[in-house]
Amino acid sequence: MQTLNVDLGDRAYPIHIGAGLLQQDLVRPCIRGRQVCIVTNETVAPLYLEAVERSLDGLLVDRVVLPDGEQYKTLESVNLIFDRLLECRHNRTTTLIALGGGVVGDMTGFAAACYQRGVDFVQVPTTLLSQVDSSVGGKTGVNHPLGKNMIGAFHQPRCVIADTAVLASLPPRELSAGIAEVIKYGLIYDAAFFDWLEASMPRLMAGDPDALAQAIYRSCEIKAEVVAQDEKESGIRALLNLGHTFGHAIEADQGYGQWLHGEAVAAGTLLAADLSCRLGWLSEAELARIEAIHEAAALPVLPPAAMTPDAFLSLMAVDKKVLDGRLRLVLLKGIGEALVTSDFPADTLRETLQHRLNLARG
Amino acid sequence: MQTLNVDLGDRAYPIHIGAGLLQQDLVRPCIRGRQVCIVTNETVAPLYLEAVERSLDGLLVDRVVLPDGEQYKTLESVNLIFDRLLECRHNRTTTLIALGGGVVGDMTGFAAACYQRGVDFVQVPTTLLSQVDSSVGGKTGVNHPLGKNMIGAFHQPRCVIADTAVLASLPPRELSAGIAEVIKYGLIYDAAFFDWLEASMPRLMAGDPDALAQAIYRSCEIKAEVVAQDEKESGIRALLNLGHTFGHAIEADQGYGQWLHGEAVAAGTLLAADLSCRLGWLSEAELARIEAIHEAAALPVLPPAAMTPDAFLSLMAVDKKVLDGRLRLVLLKGIGEALVTSDFPADTLRETLQHRLNLARG
């Protein structure tokens, strides 16, 4: 087991990474009260709920099993968590445990942020995506029909337990979706990690536990470094959103849950890379490498053929990075370096969208 | 105009108190972006919305007018605010303005806490209760059918503008409900203020602007002192809840909006005082003074006759101050001094409830 400390002063917390951690007694030491509520979904519950419950012997344990899917990441689902907490009279010393992927983690964290104005929570991420992304950084929240993650809070977990053994049960599409976020860390922050990912992609795609553990550790390390510098995203943290502004537009247009978040981020990253290339910040060769690594991870590199540039521009206008009406995007200055900017011609953005939509239409 | 500073480090903010402040240009300097959304209700909008809008000339101003009443302090109402913000494409630099009483303030503050994980908000409280209580301290939130204020966040406003001239339009019942919270500050913190309130009650009840301004200033000052010592309510701040645990049970039992919050707090304060008296911490004479000042403010001093001790105990069991199953109450050690304790016999609490319910039944 490796342990990484996310350095956030009095809200610092550890991320434990390794194979078989669910069988170890790691959640229990994070629980400060006597009540616990495990939040999970219908897919994960039959696989891992019992193992987690077993490790909580002696505590008052309640559970909420939500339907599985991004389309259920809503205020209504969070309200089901509140209902259970109040029915079972959970008080301010309760701890919520998020057992599942990013959707479960985001909703459980948001419920913990708001229940009685804030209670403890622990993340037990069961997908690659949530292990490398949503379990680090304290962003919690739900979607609104008009925009993704528009309602939420910053709320740090007490600890994160990333058991790499659970990834063996992950469908291939979900593994790929997680790798999209791993690639992102290389692109925005660490060219050497990107090189390693290019070389290691066959092992990662085959589910090699050592390669996965290494990828997760470095991804969490990069994210933790960035978040420690900028917890509330006033600066550098925004770089973590490479591909996300485009990606969120794809998810909203297609209906939440149709494209996996990581798939939409992949297609969005290629849009950002293509635009960066048109602006002269990225070479054609680098763009080709970025396309190739996503293809090696079985990820989409083109947006949905049925979308239009106008659909993108309209959906992107509600992005949280928009400032006083100016769209800001995370773009690349080579592999391993990114920036947030609104300094690009609107026409070049439109050309990029049109070009890649044309490619998608074949 | 008097200005009080709430000292919370980088979240410090001013409270301006005085007559005619809505006609002055006080909101504008607090706005950091170009977008503003005023949240108000159907009662307040016809009276003051235009004056506030006039002071925001040059900004993009949207508005949400909610129905009036505690029964609308729900997640559904907050969702209406989110709908408007997203329809009108408000970004992270937007400012929400709460124009109304405590219900509007609590919901607007909670919406501001959660919209895009936190945006600015300004409080323009239009009731005495909200001027002395809910506008200070950063508690925001909504009710749940199983408990009051169970869902919420701590989120400090950028500033508070308490215009005492608006109190002239307040129905007498609402004025009294506000005075209940003013009396509370004397009871828990300042015996001399309590003496002054006893002497000044006729002027306060007649709406004397100077007396009201003085009562508001001292109330906010006490609350600001307490909150600055304990922002997240791990200690002394809980004293502000004198009468509230009983009061919340009354509100939940009667249906939100039937008893005004201040009315329920008044009856709850007398229950707390009666129990304190039975425990030997408060004299019979002090109990009589506390009863008399509430009667002079035209406030209820007895709980609803139709309630039972069991109804109280069951509803109080979900209170946020419950720790590991032990009910904790704010009780009095004389006038001007309070404590939070679970150190009372359950039978004495039951006797207190039964006694005052018997009195209520005549």
Side-chain angles (χ1 to χ4, degrees):
Chain A
M1 179 175 90
Q2 290 183 286
T3 297
L4 191 70
N5 197 49
V6 183
D7 182 16
L8 292 167
D10 60 355
R11 292 182 312 292
Y13 63 90
I15 305 173
H16 304 299
I17 302 163
L21 301 191
L22 284 190
Q23 271 64 49
Q24 297 175 35
D25 199 17
L26 293 163
V27 176
R28 189 59 192 270
C30 306
I31 311 289
R32 296 197 277 194
R34 295 192 308 141
Q35 293 171 307
V36 160
C37 184
I38 304 172
V39 182
T40 186
N41 69 33
E42 289 166 350
T43 308
V44 175
L47 298 172
Y48 307 116
L49 183 54
E50 202 187 314
V52 174
E53 290 194 338
R54 212 168 19 228
S55 74
L56 299 171
D57 198 42
L59 297 172
L60 299 166
V61 181
D62 293 297
R63 56 204 67 73
V64 180
V65 181
L66 299 170
D68 185 10
E70 180 85 27
Q71 64 272 38
Y72 299 105
K73 195 172 117 175
T74 61
L75 219 41
E76 289 72 41
S77 296
V78 172
N79 216 9
L80 295 176
I81 305 175
F82 295 143
D83 289 345
R84 179 63 47 85
L85 291 169
L86 283 161
E87 281 157 18
C88 301
R89 301 194 167 181
H90 283 251
N91 67 39
R92 260 186 210 164
T93 65
T94 191
T95 300
L96 273 57
I97 298 177
L99 174 67
V103 170
V104 165
D106 285 3
M107 288 199 288
T108 308
F110 186 50
C114 297
Y115 185 65
Q116 302 206 10
R117 298 196 191 93
V119 297
D120 283 351
F121 86 114
V122 170
Q123 293 263 25
V124 185
T126 59
T127 65
L128 178 59
L129 183 76
S130 57
Q131 292 185 350
V132 298
D133 181 36
S134 47
S135 64
V136 190
K139 280 192 182 177
T140 71
V142 295
N143 300 326
H144 183 281
L146 294 176
K148 197 172 147 75
N149 292 331
M150 283 290 160
I151 317 301
F154 287 97
H155 193 57
Q156 304 296 342
R158 294 267 301 158
C159 76
V160 178
I161 291 143
D163 183 344
T164 52
V166 307
L167 303 181
S169 69
L170 213 56
R173 241 184 104 187
E174 300 244 11
L175 186 72
S176 291
I179 292 175
E181 294 278 356
V182 174
I183 294 169
K184 178 194 77 179
Y185 292 111
L187 281 172
I188 63 168
Y189 202 81
D190 185 346
F193 183 48
F194 186 86
D195 295 345
W196 180 84
L197 287 171
E198 283 181 322
S200 310
M201 196 52 74
R203 286 168 65 209
L204 292 169
M205 289 295 285
D208 179 295
D210 290 340
L212 283 169
Q214 202 172 332
I216 293 164
Y217 188 86
R218 182 61 187 145
S219 296
C220 289
E221 194 173 42
I222 292 172
K223 182 154 188 184
E225 270 177 47
V226 169
V227 169
Q229 288 172 58
D230 179 22
E231 187 179 352
K232 297 288 174 70
E233 193 167 318
S234 45
I236 182 178
R237 182 166 180 168
L239 301 184
L240 297 172
N241 292 316
L242 175 67
H244 283 59
T245 303
F246 295 108
H248 290 169
I250 293 172
E251 287 179 89
D253 182 84
Q254 299 290 298
Y256 294 123
Q258 298 307 303
W259 278 52
L260 295 178
H261 175 64
E263 293 171 338
V265 165
T269 296
L270 266 298
L271 282 161
D274 194 317
L275 175 54
S276 305
C277 191
R278 280 165 205 273
L279 295 167
W281 299 344
L282 198 70
S283 69
E284 294 279 355
E286 287 170 319
L287 177 57
R289 277 177 75 190
I290 297 170
E291 200 154 57
I293 196 171
H294 283 90
E295 283 171 342
L299 285 161
V301 295
L302 294 170
M307 282 186 74
T308 62
D310 284 337
F312 267 102
L313 294 170
S314 165
L315 288 162
M316 294 197 299
V318 295
D319 186 82
K320 292 194 287 301
K321 281 181 296 304
V322 168
L323 274 184
D324 290 331
R326 303 236 341 126
L327 178 63
R328 301 189 314 147
L329 291 171
V330 185
L331 298 178
L332 292 168
K333 289 240 173 189
I335 286 172
E337 193 186 345
L339 80 170
V340 183
T341 183
S342 58
D343 188 18
F344 49 83
D347 286 352
T348 313
L349 171 58
R350 187 175 279 275
E351 274 166 37
T352 306
L353 290 165
Q354 193 62 65
H355 171 68
R356 295 197 79 83
L357 286 165
N358 287 344
L359 289 177
R361 287 171 201 143
Chain B
M1 178 176 91
Q2 290 183 287
T3 298
L4 190 69
N5 197 50
V6 183
D7 182 14
L8 292 167
D10 60 355
R11 292 180 313 290
Y13 62 91
I15 304 172
H16 304 300
I17 300 163
L21 300 191
L22 284 190
Q23 271 65 49
Q24 296 175 37
D25 199 17
L26 292 163
V27 177
R28 189 59 191 269
C30 306
I31 312 289
R32 296 197 278 194
R34 295 194 307 142
Q35 292 171 308
V36 160
C37 184
I38 304 171
V39 181
T40 186
N41 70 33
E42 288 166 350
T43 308
V44 175
L47 297 172
Y48 306 115
L49 183 54
E50 203 187 316
V52 174
E53 290 194 337
R54 213 168 19 228
S55 75
L56 300 170
D57 199 42
L59 297 172
L60 299 166
V61 181
D62 293 298
R63 56 206 67 72
V64 179
V65 181
L66 298 170
D68 185 10
E70 181 86 26
Q71 64 272 40
Y72 299 106
K73 196 172 116 173
T74 61
L75 220 42
E76 290 71 42
S77 296
V78 171
N79 216 8
L80 296 175
I81 305 175
F82 294 143
D83 289 345
R84 179 61 48 84
L85 290 169
L86 283 161
E87 282 157 17
C88 301
R89 301 193 166 182
H90 282 251
N91 66 42
R92 261 187 210 164
T93 65
T94 192
T95 300
L96 272 57
I97 298 176
L99 174 67
V103 171
V104 165
D106 284 2
M107 288 200 287
T108 308
F110 185 51
C114 297
Y115 186 65
Q116 302 206 8
R117 299 197 192 91
V119 298
D120 284 351
F121 86 113
V122 169
Q123 292 263 27
V124 185
T126 59
T127 64
L128 179 58
L129 183 75
S130 57
Q131 290 184 351
V132 299
D133 180 37
S134 47
S135 64
V136 190
K139 280 192 183 177
T140 71
V142 296
N143 300 327
H144 183 281
L146 294 177
K148 196 171 147 77
N149 292 331
M150 282 290 159
I151 317 299
F154 287 97
H155 193 58
Q156 304 296 342
R158 294 268 301 159
C159 77
V160 178
I161 291 144
D163 183 345
T164 53
V166 307
L167 303 181
S169 68
L170 214 56
R173 241 183 105 187
E174 300 246 10
L175 187 72
S176 289
I179 291 174
E181 294 279 356
V182 174
I183 294 169
K184 178 194 76 179
Y185 292 111
L187 281 172
I188 63 168
Y189 202 81
D190 185 347
F193 183 47
F194 187 86
D195 296 343
W196 179 84
L197 286 171
E198 283 181 320
S200 310
M201 196 53 74
R203 286 169 65 212
L204 292 169
M205 290 295 285
D208 178 298
D210 290 340
L212 283 169
Q214 201 170 334
I216 293 164
Y217 188 86
R218 182 60 187 145
S219 297
C220 289
E221 195 172 43
I222 291 172
K223 181 154 189 185
E225 271 178 46
V226 170
V227 170
Q229 288 173 59
D230 179 22
E231 188 179 352
K232 298 286 174 71
E233 192 167 321
S234 46
I236 183 179
R237 183 166 179 168
L239 301 184
L240 296 173
N241 293 316
L242 176 66
H244 283 58
T245 302
F246 295 108
H248 290 168
I250 294 172
E251 286 178 271
D253 181 85
Q254 298 290 298
Y256 295 123
Q258 298 306 304
W259 278 52
L260 294 177
H261 175 64
E263 293 170 339
V265 166
T269 296
L270 267 300
L271 282 162
D274 193 316
L275 176 54
S276 306
C277 190
R278 281 166 204 272
L279 295 167
W281 299 345
L282 197 71
S283 69
E284 294 279 355
E286 287 170 319
L287 177 59
R289 276 178 75 192
I290 296 170
E291 198 154 58
I293 196 172
H294 283 90
E295 282 171 342
L299 285 162
V301 294
L302 294 170
M307 281 186 76
T308 62
D310 284 336
F312 267 102
L313 295 170
S314 165
L315 288 162
M316 294 198 299
V318 296
D319 186 81
K320 290 193 289 301
K321 281 182 296 303
V322 169
L323 273 184
D324 290 331
R326 297 218 13 107
L327 178 63
R328 301 190 313 148
L329 291 170
V330 185
L331 297 178
L332 292 169
K333 290 241 173 188
I335 285 171
E337 193 186 345
L339 79 170
V340 182
T341 183
S342 57
D343 187 17
F344 49 83
D347 286 351
T348 315
L349 170 59
R350 187 175 279 276
E351 274 166 36
T352 306
L353 290 165
Q354 192 62 66
H355 171 68
R356 296 197 78 84
L357 286 165
N358 287 344
L359 290 177
R361 288 171 199 142

